[in-house]
Amino acid sequence: MVGATPKPRTLAEKVWDDHVVRAAEGEPDLLFIDLHLLHEVTSPQAFDGLRLAGRRVRRTDLTLATEDHNTPTGYADPSFNTRRGELFTIADTVSRTQIETLRKNCAEFGIPIRSLGDVNQGIVHVIGPQLGLTQPGLTIVCGDSHTSTHGAFGALAFGIGTSEVEHVLATQTLPQTKPKTMAVTVTGELRPGVTAKDLILALIAQAGTGGGNGHIVEYRGEAIRGLSMEGRMTICNMSIEWGAKAGMIAPDETTFEYLRGREHAPAGEQWDAAVAYWKTLATDEDAEFDTEIFLDASAISPFITWGTNPGQGAPLNGVVPDPEEFIEETDRNAARHALEYMALRPGTPFREVPVDVVFVGSCTNGRLEDLRAAAEVIQGRRVHDGVRMLVVPGSYKVREAAEAEGLDKIFADAGAEWRFAGCSMCLGMNPDTLSAGERAASTSNRNFEGRQGKGGRTHLVSPQVAAATAVAGRLAAPADL
Amino acid sequence: MDKFVTHRGKVMPLRRSDVDTDQIIPAVYLKRVTRTGFEDGLFRAWREDPGFVLNNPSYGGATILVAGPNFGTGSSRQHAVWALRDWGFKVVIAARFGDIFRGNALKEGLLPVQLDQKAVEAIWELAESEPEKEIMVDLGERQVRVDDAVWTFPIDEFSRWRLMEGLDDIGLTLRHENTITEYEQHRSHFKPVVA
Ligand code: SF4
């Protein structure tokens, strides 16, 4: 209707509406998927399903595979770089089978793959943005819950299960019921030394692990606008840890600058058309969210987790909480269980908790900026006696860029291990694991029981806190050194 | 997929909240490339405790798992659903589910039933006092029933219909292949391609 004012919409609604292939009363919307990322763990059964049904992959040009979860990150052999893609370094036969299966499946169905040894290999959520494939306004899926990372660009990105992977492979679409929308407005400014990781851990501790359930969350406000793309990715990455379907941040100049000139970013006239479109995506002023949360960035300090879910967190300045002080019985029980598993006593100052291992890496904090932050803290210092520190770049390219700046030297001089790209100690699926009873400060996103190896104990932290902890041998912030 | 209309079965009470998918099946089991046989990984770490409910012979043959709130949070692994299904569960009851887990379960015909925590507690107590007792899960009526108690649970009409008809999602979507092709012809030219 000419002259009618269109209903104000949120960022999430705009991207959603642009992808509806088919809508029917009483049925989920059928959404078109712009980018489908694959890795070795959640895809084999999907390909099996396609074969069983005699189906093809509809859009191999919108599908990209990489190897990350199972890949080892330490290579004794210095000639590794010249022996691209060889599997001789994967000693675990099951891991090798999974990777070989992915390669065979990609070859059979014609899907591009960035294999171990390829310069573009890396954690799936690191290489998408790095290649410029992750762009505002896209729908992006992957059989991996941390697909929410890509929402940092204003894409609608979410994790799917293997049967949905099969569905996207066969149809390039997904039937989806429209989630509710939520705004998380972060006002004020983060204080020096406080990072995106601290912000998201504090938010999850406040909102609870189920706080975002059923919602697409849009992070907004001046503290979010002030973050780099890396910081924004850290925030969106952990959306799933408080139950959100997806996390999104409206694209702005920071986003455009990050994308400009990347391999798969639009160029020339295409670039101008794309930017013009991207600018229309921001939430309309009068748009309404189903739920709203406000957070004051200036009140946040370095944050850590003490328990076995990402919501069990507290400021590093504090002490291990007393389970009896939780109001809800389920929370009390969960805290009791967690402290027993974590071998922590209520009232102990966090700064007195010694660690065995420090892990810097993962799709939460394994990008160049994260490595720089850790290097800055550790430069000229030594990793504490008896502490093992692993630094694992999120992608092969991140590794190269870090080496070009000499970060590898800084870590090596401090006594840390400088490794190849992969998920590494984020999850116990490859040779980098904690032993039973070992305690880690980890920049990853999950502190679940056994996540980093059976019986391992995890404290989630920022790269800065991780590095300071490595030096101190106990949980510590850079200011403590 | 088998049709799901009603199911009567024994209950296994799992008195834990925030059961994440890493607990349902640890990451090492994700290394497999097959589609079945995941029951050996189910709650692997907790099963080492002889007192864990899965080891209790009284609950042998239980097909309905009743757990605390926030069941199936964490990683997107479909293996969590396969492990529960391969063990023999047909229904999981909890006050709240992780979104991805819930979606995965619906796709595999494992019915996630959302009841409030009070109902969960009542079923736990019943199962603990009478482990042999069977309860009725009626998808047609959206009800869980036992003795005189009746609880209603929410499920969207479409998922319910799919489960009751035992329909496969991909086949359903491919009936609209022309609509997909039409959509593809109007996508913005600046959107990226991989190859
Ligand atoms: S780094 Fe960790 S969270 Fe990220 S994709 Fe790998 S295993 Fe998943």
Side-chain angles (χ1 to χ4, degrees):
Chain A
M1 207 190 343
V2 180
T5 335
K7 182 179 169 292
R9 292 180 299 166
T10 63
L11 163 65
E13 286 164 339
K14 290 181 189 182
V15 180
W16 185 283
D17 292 349
D18 276 354
H19 291 85
V20 176
V21 171
R22 178 178 175 273
E25 191 60 33
E27 288 182 41
D29 288 348
L30 190 64
L31 291 190
F32 192 81
I33 302 302
D34 291 316
L35 179 63
H36 185 194
L37 301 167
L38 295 171
H39 63 76
E40 75 275 16
V41 182
T42 51
S43 64
Q45 290 87 0
F47 284 108
D48 245 14
L50 288 184
R51 266 189 294 268
L52 282 172
R55 289 172 174 143
R56 295 177 320 120
V57 174
R58 182 177 179 89
R59 295 294 300 265
T60 52
D61 61 333
L62 303 183
T63 311
L64 177 68
T66 191
E67 300 160 2
D68 52 8
H69 285 63
N70 277 289
T71 52
T73 63
Y75 304 102
D77 185 346
S79 64
F80 168 75
N81 288 330
T82 58
R83 301 163 75 166
R84 297 223 157 140
E86 286 187 28
L87 284 165
F88 66 96
T89 45
I90 303 184
D92 181 313
T93 51
V94 190
S95 289
R96 197 163 60 215
T97 306
Q98 215 165 51
I99 287 181
E100 280 170 348
T101 305
L102 178 69
R103 291 180 183 180
K104 266 193 263 158
N105 284 332
C106 286
E108 180 183 336
F109 289 90
I111 293 170
I113 179 168
R114 303 299 197 171
S115 282
L116 193 62
D118 183 305
V119 288
N120 281 308
Q121 177 264 342
I123 303 173
V124 65
H125 310 308
V126 175
I127 66 165
Q130 177 183 290
L131 286 163
L133 283 168
T134 300
Q135 295 177 13
L138 302 185
T139 46
I140 302 177
V141 297
C142 174
D144 191 284
S145 52
H146 294 98
T147 309
S148 56
T149 312
H150 306 262
F153 291 78
L156 176 59
F158 51 92
I160 57 179
T162 298
S163 58
E164 291 172 305
V165 171
E166 186 180 336
H167 195 284
V168 177
L169 287 172
T171 70
Q172 203 58 33
T173 63
L174 258 191
Q176 287 286 306
T177 309
K178 207 173 193 171
K180 290 191 229 147
T181 57
M182 186 194 296
V184 172
T185 306
V186 191
T187 54
E189 241 180 276
L190 287 172
R191 286 183 298 178
V194 184
T195 68
K197 182 65 163 287
D198 303 309
L199 199 171
I200 188 68
L201 287 174
L203 173 66
I204 299 171
Q206 179 188 312
T209 49
N213 264 29
H215 288 82
I216 300 176
V217 173
E218 181 180 340
Y219 302 95
R220 54 211 313 248
E222 47 177 318
I224 301 292
R225 293 263 76 87
L227 292 174
S228 64
M229 284 318 293
E230 281 86 348
R232 294 179 188 187
M233 285 190 253
T234 302
I235 302 273
C236 287
N237 174 273
M238 292 196 70
S239 300
I240 185 68
E241 305 308 335
W242 59 299
K245 166 94 179 172
M248 297 178 87
I249 294 173
D252 58 13
E253 288 303 324
T254 306
T255 323
F256 309 152
E257 273 321 301
Y258 178 97
L259 280 169
R260 194 191 296 274
R262 291 197 182 254
E263 187 177 334
H264 289 277
E269 273 170 38
Q270 304 268 33
W271 171 261
D272 297 334
V275 172
Y277 168 65
W278 295 344
K279 286 184 172 166
T280 67
L281 292 171
T283 293
D284 295 328
E285 210 150 303
D286 299 325
E288 282 179 22
F289 293 90
D290 295 301
T291 315
E292 290 215 52
I293 291 184
F294 293 88
L295 203 68
D296 176 8
S298 62
I300 297 169
S301 61
F303 220 83
I304 58 149
T305 62
W306 48 265
T308 53
N309 73 54
Q312 292 174 322
L316 172 63
N317 287 332
V319 299
V320 176
D322 184 347
E324 305 316 315
E325 282 168 14
F326 288 89
I327 298 162
E328 299 287 333
E329 197 197 325
T330 43
D331 290 344
R332 272 199 299 277
N333 286 335
R336 264 187 230 124
H337 255 296
L339 292 193
E340 193 182 317
Y341 182 85
M342 295 293 290
L344 291 173
R345 258 185 314 110
T348 311
F350 289 125
R351 284 192 168 81
E352 289 176 13
V353 176
V355 305
D356 307 296
V357 176
V358 171
F359 170 59
V360 175
S362 88
C363 60
T364 312
N365 283 124
R367 286 169 290 266
L368 186 58
E369 185 180 284
D370 303 308
L371 303 188
R372 279 184 191 146
E376 197 183 316
V377 174
I378 214 154
Q379 184 156 31
R381 298 188 162 112
R382 291 285 307 166
V383 173
H384 198 271
D385 275 348
V387 173
R388 179 181 180 211
M389 182 181 189
L390 291 86
V391 184
V392 187
S395 72
Y396 191 87
K397 279 270 173 72
V398 168
R399 183 182 150 97
E400 278 189 334
E403 287 183 348
E405 295 180 11
L407 303 187
D408 56 324
K409 286 248 156 31
I410 296 176
F411 289 120
D413 289 349
E417 297 172 29
W418 176 246
R419 302 177 75 90
F420 282 84
C423 293
S424 184
M425 205 181 260
C426 178
L427 92 172
M429 262 195 103
N430 57 68
D432 305 342
T433 52
L434 292 180
S435 309
E438 273 188 325
R439 183 184 301 281
S442 174
T443 66
S444 54
N445 45 42
R446 286 192 173 144
N447 50 346
F448 298 156
E449 290 180 23
R451 167 79 176 182
Q452 298 191 289
K454 203 162 148 250
R457 301 174 176 134
T458 304
H459 296 277
L460 300 177
V461 299
S462 71
Q464 285 85 336
V465 169
T469 299
V471 174
R474 306 164 174 275
L475 293 174
D480 303 336
L481 300 180
Chain B
M1 204 165 82
D2 292 341
K3 292 185 182 182
F4 190 118
V5 182
T6 59
H7 176 75
R8 178 184 290 282
K10 276 172 63 176
V11 168
M12 185 175 296
L14 180 63
R15 282 190 181 264
R16 296 241 188 173
S17 61
D18 296 289
V19 176
D20 57 74
T21 52
D22 276 74
Q23 304 317 322
I24 300 175
I25 188 163
V28 289
Y29 290 90
L30 274 55
K31 293 183 176 180
R32 297 195 180 155
V33 294
T34 52
R35 274 171 87 97
T36 52
F38 286 91
E39 66 278 6
D40 55 342
L42 182 65
F43 298 123
R44 190 66 256 176
W46 291 343
R47 267 157 79 181
E48 281 175 24
D49 167 9
F52 182 59
V53 64
L54 218 66
N55 295 327
N56 185 338
S58 313
Y59 299 111
T63 53
I64 301 172
L65 183 69
V66 183
N70 289 325
F71 186 85
T73 54
S75 113
S76 65
R77 62 192 67 160
Q78 192 116 7
H79 310 66
V81 175
W82 294 332
L84 289 161
R85 180 201 64 192
D86 292 349
W87 179 272
F89 288 112
K90 303 270 187 256
V91 178
V92 184
I93 298 178
R96 203 156 52 183
F97 291 94
D99 278 347
I100 301 180
F101 173 84
R102 194 172 170 280
N104 287 343
L106 285 168
K107 293 210 154 48
E108 299 283 345
L110 175 75
L111 182 66
V113 169
Q114 196 184 328
L115 296 182
D116 61 26
Q117 187 58 22
K118 272 215 192 80
V120 168
E121 307 265 356
I123 301 174
W124 277 344
E125 275 160 31
L126 182 72
E128 281 160 0
S129 57
E130 293 178 66
E132 290 303 320
K133 188 95 183 172
E134 294 192 341
I135 70 171
M136 178 68 167
V137 179
D138 185 335
L139 182 57
E141 299 291 330
R142 296 182 164 93
Q143 283 177 351
V144 175
R145 295 190 295 268
V146 59
D147 299 333
D148 293 340
V150 179
W151 296 283
T152 317
F153 60 88
I155 182 168
D156 66 278
E157 191 43 48
F158 181 72
S159 302
R160 196 184 92 168
W161 168 75
R162 269 188 58 250
L163 285 168
M164 292 182 66
E165 297 292 324
L167 285 172
D168 148 23
D169 263 358
I170 298 180
L172 275 175
T173 297
L174 286 176
R175 294 193 306 191
H176 306 296
E177 207 170 351
N178 290 341
T179 322
I180 301 174
T181 308
E182 207 173 296
Y183 179 93
E184 284 173 326
Q185 284 160 357
H186 296 104
R187 285 179 77 230
S188 301
H189 49 88
F190 51 75
K191 290 199 171 179
V193 288
V194 175

